[in-house]
Each structure stands twice: as structure tokens, then as C-alpha cells.
Amino acid sequence: WIAMTNKTLTSCLGDLDITDGTVFDACANTDEEFKLIKKNWRKKVLAEHPDKGGDPDKFRTTNASFEVLRDLYQQSKVKDGTYSSYLSESAKAEAAESDIDIDELFTKYSKNTNVPSWDFYEEAAEEDVPGYKVETARSGRAKCSVCKKNSGKVAIADSAAAEASTAIVATSTASRSSSRAKKSASSAVAKQNDTTVIGLGEVRVGSFDKMAGSYGRWHHLECWRVPKKVQNGLTDPSDEESCLRDLLSMEEVLLTGLAAMDEEDQMTFVRHVINSDHWAGNRKRKAGAASGPSKAKSAKVASKSESASKAAKGGKKKSAGSTANVVPGSYSILAPGLGGAVEDEKILKGKTFVLTGIFLEVGGGDENSIGVENLKSMIESFGGKVTTRFSKNTSFLLAGNNPVAKRFTDARAKSIEIINLVRLNGLLKGQLTFDRLGKLEALDSEEFMGDAYQPATNASVAFGDAKPAAAKKGAKKPAAAKKEAKKPAAVNADEIPPLESDDDTKPAAAAAAATSQALVAHANPSESTSSTAVVPVSGKKTKFQMPRPGQNGAISGIFDGQRFVLTGLFPELGGGGGLNLGKDKMKALIENFGGRVTGSVSGKTNFVVVGKDPGASKVGKATAKSIPLVDLLALNRVIHGQATLDDISSEPAPRITNFSAGYKGNGLLKNTAEW
């Protein structure tokens, strides 16, 4: 394929289906015009991508034209400050001149044979503004967000080590240019004094703060975890030059600033990116590095954009796969040791899943893949792996509503077990073992179509005998539930047979412990609500994986401008003791996502976070002022895009069994009936 010659900026715009200058009339400046150009480019590359059967030549032409227009924008060389100047009648006739050699640029970009996957372009289409900025630090004052959080765990080098470090820096920089040496020396001195400081001239990476409209939360390059969106755009991570081309093609799409850096700093960034040890979600990474993130693993919860989440939760546009018996977003993602799930982070280790269909009850994602990303993250948090294709290592096909029929055919041909979310939920809650799972009645593709689909819930699954083969899929009262007087009348059609006590005592005990976690009294005993508190009354510590801003679907700055008051204990977070158990970590969690924690309830308080055995005074003041009471799980859902702050504000308050009498009562508890 040979690039066309005599390329003009007018024809580059035409390649993106922009032929009339009036399309830019509503744009106030070049920035807004370039956003419109990006929108057209995204639409075209998704339609023309070879993965979807598109013409490779058209795909390369579209990409090359976009990169030419992007270069013009980055160098501020757009004629008269508007792209419409290249679409006037005179410009079309004269092939408007430019300070940039359009032919040379177009030929250069059209020769790039690197083609990232269609998934990369789909994810890139969600970004109006590049999510990350890479640059060299312009001062020695900025501090690394990761290192600030871990500063208490970083060992301070002794004076001898510091002197040795200085000597090494001096020796290593002797052969470099004086400017480079000054940068390195400045960096070394800064690190000796404060390991959180990003030294002058060091490569740093920041993320875009949508609330502030600027880049912040800067990281040392070595502390920055390469997001999956960036990973997906690398066509050959083993080749540095190929990787550099890929990263430069992400300019003004996912990244910004790389093109402005000198060659040496660019390659420093490239070498960091291609090292899989630096990739977000890589479980092989060694935790606990001095300047790296903490050892706690993030809860694997992922979410797409807010608009997609709203669509999944019943927005104006109803999904083609929606059914009458599914409540969108009603299923809360599990994490090890949380929400009744087992604490074993490796329960799914060695198990590989392929997903098909949509999962409305989970929510998140776009219309054609609702709930898929969230389930993928949940599976990975328990040690499992999710792929898009069957292989000899595939263990399960996890099917949702309206799955692809061919997936069922292929799974049966390869003897791959087909499960639904109800059964996966049973595994993760210890209500089912892999041995018992294999003995359940096989699922048929018709059971997943339309209203026959049986959505999963977080409620305890009814135990009974396996459903008779003759039972109807949509039956509300399966025969197996008749003798269970204490169980709900309406039972999941995919009932899980009871575990045998002789060989499954441990999972059964775990299930019983999970059931005992529900707290049954509300802050106002006269009210009835379905909400439950996070902490089990047994006092057993549950494990909560602290989310990190910008990682695994956790939304940076989601609590910006919000004020919180804490009351009660948070043993699932750990740290502290007595009446301060877990509070420091809860405070850090809120602050890491932009919120502010104060000590007393006031008119400025937005939320009161309730833990185990909260204080009656704070709960009472919040109730009197109509301030929402929320718990850790509610905040976690907001952090991962499964709910909004408005959503949790309108939900029933967490249930409370006991109030703490505080220090004056020596920490003794009193029942809500006494309050």
C-alpha cells in the first residue's frame, strides 16, 4: 500500500468526513474544534478497524490524516486559529499552504503498520481529554501521591548510604551533558531529604482531575502503574521503537506531553511502560517497594463511564437485553472477605473464564457488554482469569442474559462447563464447592433468553434438592422449596443442592458465618429497611481491599467537595485500637478520593459514615439534620462507579444493632431499644 501524494489539510479533514467549515461554527476555539475532529476520528476508526472486517487501507488513511491534524494542533500552527480556514472555497481551490510539510507527514504516518486492537480504540473513545500527562518536573517541590501515602513505611537512608548515593550520582553523570547532570544531582539531593519529592527534571506522570479541569496527583515514574487502556494500545511491548510509535499515537487521546519531551526522557518513559511489572493488574508484581504503593491489594471492581452506568441502571435508552425480572444494578460485586464472600483470594486460582451475554443485575459498561467488566474484575480479585476466547485452559463459560448461541455450542464441543452468576456467587460465598458444582444439572441456552433468565442476588441462596428436570424455568415456587417454611416463597430457579456435612464442613461454616452478618435493628427502631451494616455482629474481622484512585475502576476525586463525619468502628479496615479501630484508614480512604473528614456533625456535613457500634449522638444529630447515613460498602460502590452520591443519599440507612456508650461508659454498648 502506497500513501497518496499531494496531500492537503483539506483532504485530511475530508478523510474524517469533515467537508464543510460550518461544522466548526459552534466551537469557541481551536481546542473545541480539535475535540470535534477527535470525535469524528473515533467514529471512523471503530467502523473501519480491520478487527471488525474494515478495509486496512482506509483505516491507515483515517489514522494518518488524524495524526497530521493533531500535529498541527500541538504545534499551534492552525491557520487563522481555525480548521475551517482549510475548508473555505479558496482554500480548497488553492490547497491551502501550511508551515508543515503535509505530504511528508502523511507519508510518515501512513507507513505505520502498528494496529492496536479494536478494544483499545473503543476505550479511547470514552476520553474527551487525555487521562494522563507525562512530563519532566519543572520544579523540585511537587510530591509523589503514592509516596506520600506510604511515607510512614519508607525507611530513611542513613548518612553513609546517602553519601554513597551522592557519589554514585556524581560518577554516573560525569559523562553526560551539564544540564542532565544538574537534573540528576538535584533529583538525588531531593530524594535524600524527602523521598516523596519529585526532583527537578525527573519524569513524572499525572492524571486529569475533571473537577479541577487540570492535571494533578503526580507520580514518580517508577510509582506509576500503567493503565490497561495504555497496555491495550501496545502492539509489540517487546520492541522499544514500536512501543514509542504506539505511545506517540496516543497523544491527545489517552496521553499528552510525550511528544514535547526530549528523546532520552521519551525512552525512559517507554522502558517503564513496556515492563509488565509496572502494569496495573499484574499480580506478579512484588509488593512493598520503598517508594511504591502499599501491600494491600485493591478490590477488583471496574466500571465504565457514568453515562454507561446510568444506561445499565435504567436510563432513557432501554437495553435490548433488559428483562422484566431483572433489577439493574441490584447485584453488588463481591471482594475477598467482604459481603459474605470467602476470604480466600486464590479460590479461583487456575480457573479461566469466558463471558457471554449481558449482566443487567451487575451494571456498568456499555449497552452490549453491561456488567462484563465488573464481573471480570471480581473474578480476578479472587485469583481467576478472564479471556475472550476459548482455549485448552478455559474452565468455565459464564453466561448472562441473551448470550451468543455459538458460545454454548463451542463450550459443549470442548467439554467446558457452563455456569451462571448464581452458581459463581455460590462458589465465592462458600455455599458451593467445585466438586458439587460439577454435579449440578447442566444449563441450557434457553434458560438465559429473555424473561427466562434468572438474575443473581446478594441474598443467601435457598438450599434444597436439585430442581426436577420437569420444572418450568419461570416457576416462582420450585417444588424443592415447599418444605422450607422459613425460606422465601420465591426462590432462584437455579437452586444449589446442600453441601454434605462430612466433606464440606468448612464451606458450610463459612456460609453460616456469612448469614449471621446481617444486623437487624435500624437507627430508628420504628422504621423497617432492607439495608444491612458492613460489620458482622460476631466481631470477626472481615477483609476489605483498599481501592486506589485511578486503578481498577476506582474514580479519582469522586468525593471532591464532600464532607464526612465518621462514627463507630471499622475493624474490616484494621489499624488503631479501642474506639479508634479502623478510623484512620477510613479517613485516609475518603481523603484519597478527594473528600474531607471532620470531627462533628454540622450543617456543612454531607454524609455520616456508620461503622460498627456507632455513637448515638452523631447518629441522632445526622437524623435530625436529614444528613444521609451511609456505610463502607456504599462508599465503595460510589468509588467504583456502581452508584452515585445521590443514589446512596436516597437509600435506606444502614442497620444498627448497638450504639457505643463511648469513653464515659468504658466502651460498653447499649441496644438501640435503650436509645
Side-chain angles (χ1 to χ4, degrees):
W1 183 79
I2 301 175
M4 65 175 290
T5 56
N6 299 320
K7 195 70 177 174
T8 66
L9 291 169
T10 302
S11 62
C12 284
L13 288 166
D15 290 336
L16 301 182
D17 293 339
I18 300 175
T19 57
D20 186 351
T22 58
V23 299
F24 296 117
D25 286 351
C27 300
N29 50 45
T30 312
D31 293 340
E32 292 186 7
E33 290 185 354
F34 187 68
K35 285 182 181 179
L36 190 149
I37 289 172
K38 278 200 293 186
K39 182 178 180 180
N40 278 43
W41 166 73
R42 290 163 177 161
K43 182 178 179 180
K44 289 210 68 179
V45 292
L46 287 173
E48 296 172 351
H49 198 286
D51 285 359
K52 297 297 181 180
D55 186 331
D57 290 349
K58 288 184 178 180
F59 178 79
R60 277 198 293 269
T61 296
T62 299
N63 259 340
S65 292
F66 171 73
E67 295 196 59
V68 169
L69 295 168
R70 184 196 61 204
D71 278 13
L72 206 68
Y73 169 74
Q74 288 182 320
Q75 297 178 37
S76 300
K77 291 187 177 180
V78 179
K79 185 179 179 182
D80 300 330
T82 174
Y83 284 97
S84 62
S85 62
Y86 303 110
L87 296 173
S88 64
E89 291 305 319
S90 59
K92 292 177 182 179
E94 300 170 8
E97 296 182 358
S98 169
D99 294 337
I100 299 177
D101 189 332
I102 305 303
D103 247 357
E104 181 182 348
L105 265 183
F106 183 82
T107 302
K108 168 189 169 184
Y109 288 130
S110 60
K111 286 181 178 179
N112 184 7
T113 57
N114 292 5
V115 181
S117 67
W118 186 86
D119 291 336
F120 163 74
Y121 288 100
E122 182 189 31
E123 290 180 333
E126 299 172 6
E127 305 288 344
D128 287 330
V129 179
Y132 305 95
K133 183 172 186 178
V134 55
E135 65 179 21
T136 51
R138 290 166 288 183
S139 71
R141 298 188 299 271
K143 293 192 175 185
C144 172
S145 296
V146 172
C147 291
K148 279 200 296 183
K149 289 191 289 186
N150 297 322
S151 59
K153 301 179 181 180
V154 178
I156 305 299
D158 58 28
S159 58
E163 290 175 6
S165 175
T166 305
I168 292 172
V169 170
T171 302
S172 64
T173 57
S175 60
R176 301 182 185 179
S177 65
S178 58
S179 61
R180 179 74 57 188
K182 288 178 181 178
K183 289 181 180 180
S184 299
S186 173
S187 173
V189 171
K191 286 187 176 181
Q192 288 175 21
N193 295 333
D194 186 349
T195 57
T196 67
V197 170
I198 303 175
L200 175 64
E202 278 193 76
V203 178
R204 67 178 187 174
V205 184
S207 55
F208 185 72
D209 186 331
K210 293 182 180 180
M211 295 293 290
S214 61
Y215 292 91
R217 300 183 184 278
W218 296 100
H219 295 61
H220 285 116
L221 179 59
E222 60 266 28
C223 294
W224 185 61
R225 311 293 295 153
V226 182
K228 287 189 177 180
K229 288 183 179 182
V230 175
Q231 297 171 31
N232 290 341
L234 305 179
T235 54
D236 184 4
S238 64
D239 183 86
E240 291 184 359
E241 291 300 324
S242 174
C243 183
L244 177 59
R245 287 195 298 271
D246 292 335
L247 291 171
L248 286 173
S249 71
M250 297 180 198
E251 276 282 305
E252 303 304 331
V253 180
L254 292 179
L255 296 169
T256 185
L258 182 62
M261 296 168 64
D262 64 35
E263 184 178 348
E264 184 175 344
D265 288 330
Q266 284 182 344
M267 294 313 298
T268 298
F269 182 71
V270 166
R271 293 183 187 106
H272 176 85
V273 169
I274 64 177
N275 186 340
S276 60
D277 287 342
H278 301 150
W279 290 3
N282 187 347
R283 289 181 165 270
K284 294 181 180 180
R285 168 177 165 257
K286 292 182 180 180
S291 59
S294 66
K295 293 183 180 179
K297 296 178 181 178
S298 296
K300 291 277 188 174
V301 184
S303 175
K304 293 281 188 177
S305 64
E306 183 178 351
S307 59
S309 297
K310 288 181 179 178
K313 292 184 178 181
K316 291 182 179 180
K317 188 174 181 180
K318 187 176 181 181
S319 169
S322 60
T323 59
N325 64 332
V326 181
V327 179
S330 58
Y331 180 84
S332 295
I333 291 297
L334 301 175
L338 195 63
V342 298
E343 296 187 10
D344 185 1
E345 296 179 358
K346 298 181 180 179
I347 190 173
L348 299 181
K349 185 177 181 180
K351 308 296 183 184
T352 301
F353 296 74
V354 170
L355 276 58
T356 182
I358 61 174
F359 301 84
L360 280 170
E361 67 267 49
V362 176
D366 59 32
E367 185 178 11
N368 298 318
S369 60
I370 297 173
V372 171
E373 281 300 314
N374 281 340
L375 283 180
K376 178 183 176 184
S377 296
M378 182 176 80
I379 290 169
E380 290 174 347
S381 74
F382 285 93
K385 182 179 179 181
V386 176
T387 62
T388 57
R389 298 179 182 178
F390 290 122
S391 72
K392 63 181 181 180
N393 297 321
T394 304
S395 313
F396 299 102
L397 173 65
L398 176 58
N401 192 207
N402 296 332
V404 177
K406 190 175 184 300
R407 291 287 196 183
F408 276 77
T409 304
D410 292 345
R412 291 195 182 97
K414 297 176 183 291
S415 298
I416 294 170
E417 189 166 357
I418 300 170
I419 64 172
N420 56 14
L421 184 52
V422 174
R423 296 185 179 185
L424 177 60
N425 186 71
L427 281 171
L428 299 183
K429 287 193 170 184
Q431 299 164 338
L432 187 62
T433 65
F434 287 107
D435 181 57
R436 294 290 292 171
L437 177 63
K439 296 177 181 178
L440 296 181
E441 182 182 347
L443 297 172
D444 187 86
S445 60
E446 293 182 0
E447 297 181 56
F448 296 88
M449 305 307 294
D451 289 337
Y453 177 67
Q454 300 157 10
T457 69
N458 291 105
S460 297
V461 178
F463 288 90
D465 295 329
K467 182 181 69 174
K472 300 295 183 181
K473 300 181 185 71
K476 293 184 178 180
K477 294 184 179 181
K482 289 181 179 179
K483 296 182 181 180
E484 300 292 337
K486 295 183 179 180
K487 291 175 182 176
V491 185
N492 244 322
D494 184 14
E495 293 180 343
I496 300 175
L499 299 174
E500 298 173 0
S501 59
D502 56 346
D503 60 352
D504 289 315
T505 54
K506 186 173 181 180
T515 305
S516 70
Q517 290 186 13
L519 297 180
V520 296
H522 185 265
N524 185 340
S526 65
E527 295 182 15
S528 176
T529 173
S530 60
S531 293
T532 57
V534 179
V535 186
V537 295
S538 64
K540 178 183 176 182
K541 290 184 179 179
T542 55
K543 186 175 182 180
F544 179 81
Q545 297 176 329
M546 294 285 281
R548 299 171 188 162
Q551 295 189 20
N552 302 315
I555 305 170
S556 299
I558 192 66
F559 296 146
D560 284 350
Q562 302 296 309
R563 293 194 180 199
F564 299 79
V565 170
L566 311 181
T567 181
L569 312 177
F570 302 92
E572 63 270 69
L573 296 180
L579 295 181
N580 198 42
L581 180 61
K583 282 186 177 177
D584 288 341
K585 287 193 176 181
M586 174 59 81
K587 181 174 183 287
L589 172 66
I590 292 170
E591 291 177 344
N592 287 343
F593 287 87
R596 180 180 175 186
V597 177
T598 59
S600 58
V601 179
S602 71
K604 295 182 179 180
T605 302
N606 300 104
F607 296 94
V608 171
V609 185
V610 177
K612 180 185 178 184
D613 309 327
S617 175
K618 288 181 179 177
V619 171
K621 288 180 181 179
T623 303
K625 295 177 181 289
S626 298
I627 297 172
L629 298 173
V630 298
D631 57 24
L632 175 56
L633 286 182
L635 297 183
N636 193 47
R637 285 163 50 221
V638 173
I639 287 171
H640 292 96
Q642 292 181 306
T644 66
L645 290 172
D646 287 340
D647 289 338
I648 65 173
S649 296
S650 58
E651 291 175 353
R655 293 185 178 186
I656 302 169
T657 297
N658 296 302
F659 286 111
S660 171
Y663 286 107
K664 292 182 179 179
N666 296 318
L668 299 177
L669 305 176
K670 58 182 179 180
N671 190 273
T672 50
E674 302 171 13
W675 176 59

